[in-house]
Amino acid sequence: MALAFGSVTPNSNNTFYLTLTLPKSPPRNLINNHRNFFSGNKGVSYGHNLFYTDPRTRRASLATILCSASNKPSPSSSEISSTARIRTEVLSPFRSLRMFFYVAFIASASLGAFIAATQLIGALANSSRASQVPEILKGLGIDIGAVSIFAFLYFRDNKAKNAQEARLSREEFLSNLKLRVDEKKIIPVSSLRGIARLVICAGPESFITESFKRSEPFTEGLMDRGVLVVPFVTDGNSPDLEFEETEEMKQLATRRKRLWQLTPVYITEWSNWLDEQKKLAGVSSESPVYLSLRLDGRVRGSGVGYPPWNAFVAQLPPVKGMWTGLLDGFDGRV
């Protein structure tokens, strides 16, 4: 009995998707030989996430296969986008005006200092003008002081502008990264703004599996607060995410599948963004980390190790109710 691999089809973004097709009764030895993807003599349905159920224990498990390629070059999250510059102007509308006046004052004070310096040279060369030296020195000192003060204010504002542009550019880069919802739907992160609070878990397979287990007691609370998890596996292995599908646990299993349904697409772009975040935070590239986002897509917090699921439930407001819109920017410190 043969295994049909289906077809490889490109979309409009020059991305190829591999569709796998299994026969109705797959040979046992074939499944066993592919234990990295399938486990035991179980039925398998392929999407991007592989859900398979053991008929004896009725336990559902989730495995992930990522197969994507693109011929478009990956942009760098360190490049400042035009959107980030526009957002910087909107968030700080008077900064450019202040910096313009700083430059004007620096130019005026520099011209005054140049004139005072030439007058000082003339006074020192002519003994009859020696009485003017103290007054000229006073004016020169004022001009030099003005240049120093306005130069300091200009560079401070410019440094703040560059830092804000870099932060907004990284957030813009993140908003353009792709997530797979199911085998037929891929969306950018920006599509979830105002809808979900993403928690990105990045680390090896064991870290993702343990994070999954630790989130189980807080599933209801996390879902009520609009939290969705993005598991990003850095070692190439598929995490073993098991869902209890007994009659008593069926509803909880459905919610947990939804909580963990998102999967990163275009791993290279996700890796570039994550490496940039770790570098800025001074974190080792090998360290497992989590990052939590606000409803508006901004990075709320991050840390090394497992996400504090209990803190999310305790601090984040529910996404339903009259206060939801007002609290979008006040998502706590986790």
Side-chain angles (χ1 to χ4, degrees), residues 164-180:
Q164 188 177 47
E165 284 183 347
R167 177 177 60 81
L168 293 176
S169 184
R170 291 194 301 272
E171 291 179 357
E172 192 66 26
F173 184 86
L174 172 61
S175 70
N176 292 325
L177 295 178
K178 300 297 189 296
L179 292 170
R180 183 183 294 278

Side-chain angles (χ1 to χ4, degrees), residues 52-266:
Y52 51 91
T53 305
D54 190 332
R56 294 171 296 179
T57 62
R58 297 185 62 82
R59 291 171 63 88
S61 297
L62 170 67
T64 302
I65 293 180
L66 180 63
C67 184
S68 62
S70 175
N71 63 0
K72 297 188 298 182
S74 299
S76 172
S77 59
S78 61
E79 297 176 358
I80 306 301
S81 64
S82 58
T83 304
R85 291 191 174 93
I86 293 173
R87 289 181 63 193
T88 300
E89 293 294 332
V90 172
L91 293 174
S92 302
F94 299 109
R95 178 184 286 145
S96 297
L97 183 62
R98 290 199 307 269
M99 293 178 69
F100 170 79
F101 280 114
Y102 292 156
V103 172
F105 294 152
I106 290 171
S108 176
S110 298
L111 180 60
F114 175 76
I115 295 174
T118 58
Q119 291 176 347
L120 179 61
I121 294 173
L124 293 174
N126 189 350
S127 58
S128 63
R129 297 177 58 191
S131 59
Q132 300 178 5
V133 171
E135 189 68 23
I136 295 174
L137 285 175
K138 180 180 177 180
L140 180 61
I142 292 174
D143 290 332
I144 293 176
V147 171
S148 301
I149 291 173
F150 289 119
F152 167 76
L153 293 175
Y154 175 86
F155 285 113
R156 186 185 66 172
D157 255 359
N158 189 58
K159 182 179 179 181
K161 176 185 177 183
N162 292 337
Q164 188 177 47
E165 284 183 347
R167 177 177 60 81
L168 293 176
S169 184
R170 291 194 301 272
E171 291 179 357
E172 192 66 26
F173 184 86
L174 172 61
S175 70
N176 292 325
L177 295 178
K178 300 297 189 296
L179 292 170
R180 183 183 294 278
V181 180
D182 54 41
E183 66 271 18
K184 296 181 179 179
K185 187 174 183 181
I186 294 179
I187 61 173
V189 172
S190 58
S191 297
L192 297 174
R193 284 178 179 171
I195 300 175
R197 298 180 172 106
L198 297 185
V199 176
I200 303 170
C201 296
E205 177 271 333
S206 58
F207 170 77
I208 301 299
T209 301
E210 183 62 25
S211 297
F212 172 79
K213 293 178 181 178
R214 294 190 180 200
S215 70
E216 183 174 5
F218 308 100
T219 300
E220 296 291 341
L222 293 171
M223 292 300 297
D224 291 342
R225 286 154 181 79
V227 175
L228 293 179
V229 183
V230 180
F232 179 53
V233 185
T234 57
D235 61 359
N237 296 322
S238 298
D240 185 18
L241 308 184
E242 295 185 351
F243 302 92
E244 292 281 354
E245 285 205 336
T246 60
E247 291 298 328
E248 298 80 6
M249 303 293 291
K250 190 172 183 179
Q251 184 176 0
L252 179 62
T254 301
R255 302 206 79 183
R256 284 181 63 71
K257 285 180 182 179
R258 186 182 173 201
L259 178 65
W260 289 81
Q261 69 178 329
L262 300 177
T263 308
V265 182
Y266 306 142

Side-chain angles (χ1 to χ4, degrees), residues 21-50:
T21 304
L22 285 175
K24 293 183 179 180
S25 300
R28 183 184 181 90
N29 60 343
L30 181 60
I31 297 297
N32 290 335
N33 290 336
H34 293 77
R35 194 171 293 273
N36 287 336
F37 299 97
F38 316 114
S39 177
N41 189 18
K42 305 171 183 178
V44 180
S45 61
Y46 175 78
H48 182 73
N49 296 326
L50 294 180

